[in-house]
Amino acid sequence: MFRLISLGLCAALFFSSTFILNRSMSLEGGHWYWSAALRFAWMILLLLLLFFVSGRKKQLPEIYRIFRTYLTFWLAAGTIGFAVFYSLICFSADFSPGWVIATTWQFTILASPLVLIFFGRKVPRKAFAFTILIVCGIILVNLAETGQVDVKTLLMGGIPVIIAAFAYPTGNQMLWEAQRHPRRFIPRIEEPLLQDPFARVLLMTLGTIPFWLVLYIAIAPPPPSCGQFLSTGLVALFSGILATSIFFHARHQATNSYELSAVDATQSAEVIFSIAGEIILLGGALPDLTSMAGIIITLTGLTLFIRYHQ
């Protein structure tokens, strides 16, 4: 369990870069569509480059075969778990500062157990209890940061993120189920190559392509700004590839609903890492007593997941 928590925290560290960079692109005038779509374009290019430079380019035809064979599944899982989730995160950045989105995103910690129940998984009561404890800690961390938030910021910046908080674990769980417990609407995918987290991320990313094409036609966004090319590349590397691959690997190693809930709960650390990054990189102020109490409660919740694992 300690190893799973450690991997989840490492993923959260890289995930935390997303919120600041997305807000930065929004403030520079870049359209939210490009902030989302360019990230996944970068991910495909970087992952293909990774397979080439690591001497695994012969695996690419096999990845294409798996994608083609289970096309409907990859389109569904990729669209829900990657495209819908991230497009809503980027849309919210046009209306809310990064901390609002990062805070609201922690709702996924509560959404994850509900998604597991939807897929027929039994979630232990203690997992729910520890999850609620972590959410309380996150609320405390942000109480000192919030100030006054108007209704438009709350609705336009919050509701899309709540929807995204359900979409992300749903797509992830679809992949987990396909590799272990097929269902009527999820095929059994017994492919050794899926043990590679980078292969899983590439397949899920390829499944998002139709979504971006349809969305582009629907909203006809203006051309992307120059800064978006660089910023989305950084998000693709740190969050899209490194964080997602580590997170997928941790979830793949989980063997039951309790361990899955624990891995998902590590995303709560994104707020803590965001605060730490602001202090170290931007010279931000140290957290006050309320924030420190929230950090301690959050870490306590994660510690309890480790201490009372099954």
Side-chain angles (χ1 to χ4, degrees):
M1 176 62 75
F2 177 77
R3 183 170 180 272
L4 294 179
I5 294 291
S6 298
L7 288 171
L9 290 175
C10 184
L13 174 62
F14 289 113
F15 274 134
S16 63
S17 65
T18 297
F19 305 106
I20 297 174
L21 288 171
N22 281 348
R23 182 58 175 172
S24 174
M25 286 185 281
S26 176
L27 293 174
E28 291 176 357
H31 195 280
W32 63 267
Y33 170 85
W34 295 113
S35 296
L38 285 176
R39 164 186 160 165
F40 288 90
W42 273 110
M43 284 176 62
I44 292 175
L45 292 175
L46 291 173
L47 286 167
L48 290 177
L49 179 62
L50 174 65
F51 276 91
F52 272 95
V53 300
S54 62
R56 293 185 293 166
K57 63 180 180 180
K58 292 183 179 180
Q59 293 180 342
L60 293 176
E62 182 68 7
I63 290 176
Y64 173 71
R65 181 192 64 79
I66 296 172
F67 181 74
R68 184 185 59 188
T69 302
Y70 304 98
L71 180 62
T72 302
F73 171 79
W74 295 116
L75 292 180
T79 296
I80 296 172
F82 276 19
V84 170
F85 139 69
Y86 199 67
S87 62
L88 291 173
I89 291 290
C90 292
F91 174 82
S92 295
D94 275 1
F95 300 93
S96 301
W99 64 260
V100 173
I101 298 173
T103 304
T104 310
W105 172 245
Q106 303 315 311
F107 192 84
T108 194
I109 301 170
L110 284 178
S112 293
L114 297 178
V115 169
L116 290 173
I117 293 174
F118 173 78
F119 280 94
R121 302 292 161 204
K122 184 178 179 181
V123 179
R125 291 183 179 179
K126 59 184 177 182
F128 270 115
F130 300 158
T131 295
I132 292 173
L133 181 63
I134 290 172
V135 171
C136 290
I138 291 300
I139 291 173
L140 282 177
V141 168
N142 289 275
L143 279 178
E145 309 292 330
T146 56
Q148 298 296 321
V149 180
D150 58 39
V151 175
K152 181 179 180 181
T153 296
L154 181 63
L155 295 179
M156 301 301 289
I159 292 179
V161 180
I162 292 176
I163 297 173
F166 278 93
Y168 187 65
T170 298
N172 291 341
Q173 191 60 26
M174 288 174 67
L175 179 57
W176 193 88
E177 297 285 343
Q179 295 179 267
R180 290 172 174 80
H181 305 284
R183 298 177 179 275
R184 182 172 58 86
F185 56 93
I186 297 179
R188 173 68 170 175
I189 305 180
E190 296 181 306
E191 300 286 351
L193 191 55
L194 289 187
Q195 300 299 317
D196 184 346
F198 294 111
R200 295 196 292 268
V201 174
L202 179 57
L203 285 162
M204 290 282 282
T205 305
L206 291 173
T208 69
I209 293 177
F211 176 88
W212 302 121
L213 294 176
V214 171
L215 190 60
Y216 177 82
I217 295 173
I219 64 178
S225 63
C226 294
Q228 281 183 293
F229 283 101
L230 176 59
S231 295
T232 52
L234 292 175
V235 173
L237 176 60
F238 292 121
S239 181
I241 295 180
L242 294 177
T244 305
S245 297
I246 295 171
F247 186 70
F248 271 13
H249 179 65
R251 285 189 112 258
H252 182 73
Q253 297 298 314
T255 58
N256 54 58
S257 298
Y258 182 82
E259 292 181 348
L260 284 169
S261 297
V263 172
D264 289 345
T266 60
Q267 293 178 85
S268 63
E270 292 170 13
V271 173
I272 298 174
F273 287 134
S274 297
I275 293 175
E278 182 176 348
I279 294 172
I280 296 172
L281 301 177
L282 304 178
L286 291 172
D288 60 14
L289 291 178
T290 302
S291 296
M292 287 301 299
I295 291 173
I296 292 173
I297 291 174
T298 298
L299 294 177
T300 299
L302 291 174
T303 301
L304 289 173
F305 263 115
I306 300 173
R307 174 65 178 81
Y308 295 101
H309 70 277
Q310 292 177 328

